[in-house]
Amino acid sequence: FDEQPTPPPSPRDDAYWTTDLDRRYLIGLGGRGITSLEQFGVWKDMVEVAAVPVPGRKDWNGKGSSIQPVETFKTERKYTTQVLPRDKLVSALYHHIRDCQSASIATPVSFNYSNVEIKFGYKVEPMQINATQLVQHQHILVNVTCLESNLDTIEPVGASLVIAADGSARTFANRMEEMDREKDGNDHNGFRVIRYPDDNQRVYKNIAFTIPNDWRSDINYAVRTSRIIFDALPANNQGDYVGVLLFSKDDEMARANVDPEAFHAFLREEMPQFVNFLDKTTIESVARRQPSVLPMFRYVKPRMHSPQMQTVLLGDCAHTVKPYFGMGANSALEDVKILSDCIDKYLMDNTIEDKTEVLKLAVQDFSGIRSPDIETLVRISHSLDRPGPEGVFTFLIPVILDGIFSKVAPQLFAPNQISMLQNEEISFQQAADRKRIDRIAQLVILVAVPLLTRQLFELVVSAVP
């Protein structure tokens, strides 16, 4: 069930995907997302052809037209980041299933979509029943509401398993938290949604623009000043870009209905490299637009499922991070891959005949594997978003140290924490463990080298007659 009123247009419909670009939310798929989509046979023919490869970036760090940009290309990565609108990815997945059902493309042997039915224009919510009532039902019951119905009819639907991916709305996660409290009181070991206070609040506005022909149309452009962060990605291969303009929540330019002339002057001062690409209509539209709010850092623990509700959580409803480091969509797709692996594992166990038992064991296995990992992801991502002096110690200094040590001794020291989180070959917990070892080694060296240098100097001085 999907709340969108109608199926998305085909990802091959260029006329549709080149309009309303400022309403598109672009995502970058890295190794974690790409390998997940490869496993389901949807990457090569549907998603990759709809995306733009982005091998590097160009950054202006500071305010003013005299600032020289820095270009960076990630040649050491196995997978090049692929960028596309989020709803275009949804379109590619939907039309892949439709194509498989109509046999217009070859279906991977391990996947059978013949019994898959996707309904649009419906809202799904957990039923407000208590734990005792749940035991009386063989299947979990959810309320399904047809959003187009004038009668606002609600129909209860039964299922052996509910896979909840309702994003930051967290309807199912919140209900699971309520049920555990009803059952166990304020037991600290019960299911909880951990919410970090958002003490570094930022809002954003999208800006669509077209770069000139002598600019590269396949890299990430960014401007960072003390007041704004502007990050722009290609929306297609024709030079159209969508930039995200991040402000502090309290910035006077972050409001709706800002004076267009004042906003234009603000852009000229903060990001002169791009202001000439924006026409008067675009500037007026962005100035008057209501800003959007970034999600808070949250995750669920100690598990990602509810045995009582026969529900498993995936994606943003289980773990939410701010989109700075490209881990939201990628970690959500990885959730699906790991859950699929767990289901396959128990399906191949010939000693289990009951398919309901297969799902139960698979969900428990998935939750045990993934829950500690997503907690680590959110905890680290939150530490990289600290404001003020705290951010210097949790983000800036570690990035500088990692850059120096990994360049001098790449065999001994791993890349920075962000690169480690993006590495599809290791889990988030493994990335954290490796960085912990690096930090200890860096600290030992930083303490030992000055001491050894001083001792050597004193030895030389004492040897001079």
Side-chain angles (χ1 to χ4, degrees):
F1 294 97
D2 195 306
E3 289 191 29
Q4 294 299 317
T6 57
S10 167
R12 304 179 184 91
D13 185 352
D14 291 338
Y16 176 80
W17 296 109
T18 53
T19 59
D20 295 327
L21 291 179
D22 58 344
R23 298 181 183 276
R24 307 291 182 201
Y25 185 90
L26 301 186
I27 58 174
L29 297 177
R32 294 184 188 273
I34 292 172
T35 53
S36 301
L37 293 168
E38 284 178 336
Q39 178 167 309
F40 295 107
V42 69
W43 172 250
K44 194 94 181 146
D45 295 326
M46 291 299 288
V47 181
E48 186 177 24
V49 296
V52 180
V54 178
R57 56 185 297 121
K58 189 172 185 177
D59 293 87
W60 286 267
N61 293 306
K63 185 167 63 175
S65 56
S66 62
I67 299 295
Q68 293 301 307
V70 176
E71 291 190 354
T72 309
F73 291 88
K74 301 291 186 180
T75 56
E76 75 282 359
R77 288 183 179 175
K78 183 178 179 180
Y79 294 94
T80 298
T81 299
Q82 305 281 335
V83 174
L84 76 169
R86 178 174 54 190
D87 46 353
K88 195 175 186 180
L89 172 60
V90 174
S91 169
L93 297 175
Y94 171 74
H95 285 278
H96 172 76
I97 294 173
R98 290 292 304 272
D99 290 348
C100 288
Q101 290 175 332
S102 63
S104 62
I105 63 171
T107 307
V109 175
S110 55
F111 299 103
N112 182 355
Y113 298 108
S114 60
N115 293 322
V116 174
E117 183 180 4
I118 303 174
K119 293 187 175 183
F120 291 90
Y122 289 87
K123 183 177 183 179
V124 180
E125 296 177 298
M127 291 187 69
Q128 296 295 317
I129 56 179
N130 58 41
T132 303
Q133 292 172 307
L134 272 176
V135 175
Q136 300 171 0
H137 296 282
Q138 185 177 0
H139 296 95
I140 176 65
L141 294 176
V142 295
N143 284 329
V144 177
T145 306
C146 179
L147 300 178
E148 292 184 356
S149 172
N150 294 327
L151 301 177
D152 195 27
T153 54
I154 299 177
E155 178 185 356
V157 174
S160 299
L161 175 67
V162 174
I163 299 176
D166 55 344
S168 57
R170 277 190 169 80
T171 307
F172 281 86
N174 292 337
R175 181 58 188 142
M176 287 163 60
E177 186 176 40
E178 290 171 6
M179 287 194 63
D180 266 36
R181 284 178 179 167
E182 291 171 6
K183 177 175 175 289
D184 302 319
N186 290 322
D187 182 4
H188 293 296
N189 294 319
F191 180 90
R192 290 173 290 157
V193 180
I194 306 301
R195 303 166 176 87
Y196 282 102
D198 194 356
D199 52 6
N200 191 21
Q201 292 183 339
R202 291 183 180 272
V203 297
Y204 70 92
K205 294 185 178 185
N206 280 358
I207 304 178
F209 62 97
T210 302
I211 59 172
N213 292 332
D214 57 347
W215 281 44
R216 288 191 61 157
S217 61
D218 65 343
I219 62 174
N220 180 184
Y221 292 103
V223 177
R224 289 175 177 269
T225 73
S226 59
R227 191 172 176 184
I228 61 106
I229 298 175
F230 181 68
D231 207 277
L233 290 167
N236 51 46
N237 290 306
Q238 285 77 53
D240 295 323
Y241 269 68
V242 177
V244 176
L245 182 60
L246 281 166
F247 320 77
S248 169
K249 185 189 72 167
D250 300 322
D251 194 301
E252 61 182 359
M253 292 295 162
R255 304 191 307 267
N257 298 315
V258 174
D259 176 66
E261 291 188 6
F263 191 72
H264 192 187
F266 161 75
L267 295 179
R268 279 200 307 268
E269 182 178 359
E270 297 294 328
M271 40 182 278
Q273 303 86 349
F274 296 92
V275 72
N276 291 332
F277 306 156
L278 311 178
D279 58 32
K280 182 179 180 181
T281 302
T282 298
I283 292 173
E284 289 178 351
S285 173
V286 176
R288 292 178 176 137
R289 189 178 307 147
Q290 186 73 28
S292 300
V293 180
L294 291 175
M296 295 173 59
F297 292 99
R298 306 178 214 176
Y299 66 93
V300 299
K301 67 177 298 186
R303 46 189 162 78
M304 295 171 66
H305 75 292
S306 169
Q308 297 171 313
M309 293 176 60
Q310 295 163 246
T311 299
V312 61
L313 307 175
L314 302 181
D316 280 355
C317 66
H319 48 89
T320 308
V321 295
K322 292 184 179 179
Y324 303 146
F325 312 119
M327 295 311 304
N330 286 284
S331 59
L333 290 170
E334 194 174 48
D335 285 349
V336 180
K337 174 179 176 289
I338 295 172
L339 177 59
S340 176
D341 290 341
C342 292
I343 293 174
D344 287 345
K345 170 185 170 182
Y346 287 99
L347 280 174
M348 290 186 291
D349 188 340
N350 295 326
T351 64
I352 308 173
E353 297 181 359
D354 185 357
K355 292 298 185 285
T356 302
E357 186 67 14
V358 166
L359 291 176
K360 177 182 176 182
L361 293 172
V363 166
Q364 289 176 348
D365 203 10
F366 163 77
S367 188
I369 293 169
R370 196 61 170 163
S371 294
D373 222 25
I374 61 109
E375 179 176 350
T376 299
L377 167 65
V378 178
R379 176 177 53 78
I380 293 175
S381 299
H382 178 257
S383 72
L384 299 175
D385 187 50
R386 300 293 73 234
E390 187 179 353
V392 173
F393 290 97
T394 62
F395 177 69
L396 185 60
I397 292 177
V399 166
I400 294 173
L401 289 176
D402 287 337
I404 294 171
F405 280 90
S406 63
K407 186 174 182 179
V408 173
Q411 299 85 0
L412 299 177
F413 293 95
N416 63 57
Q417 185 75 81
I418 300 170
S419 296
M420 294 291 285
L421 289 177
Q422 294 171 340
N423 185 348
E424 73 282 353
E425 296 181 353
I426 60 176
S427 69
F428 298 128
Q429 187 59 55
Q430 288 171 328
D433 292 342
R434 176 57 198 272
K435 269 298 118 188
R436 192 174 295 111
I437 294 171
D438 280 1
R439 293 285 175 263
I440 294 172
Q442 290 167 358
L443 181 61
V444 169
I445 292 172
L446 290 173
V447 171
V449 167
L451 291 176
L452 290 174
T453 302
R454 179 180 177 182
Q455 291 177 359
L456 180 62
F457 177 76
E458 291 175 350
L459 182 64
V460 171
V461 171
S462 64
V464 175

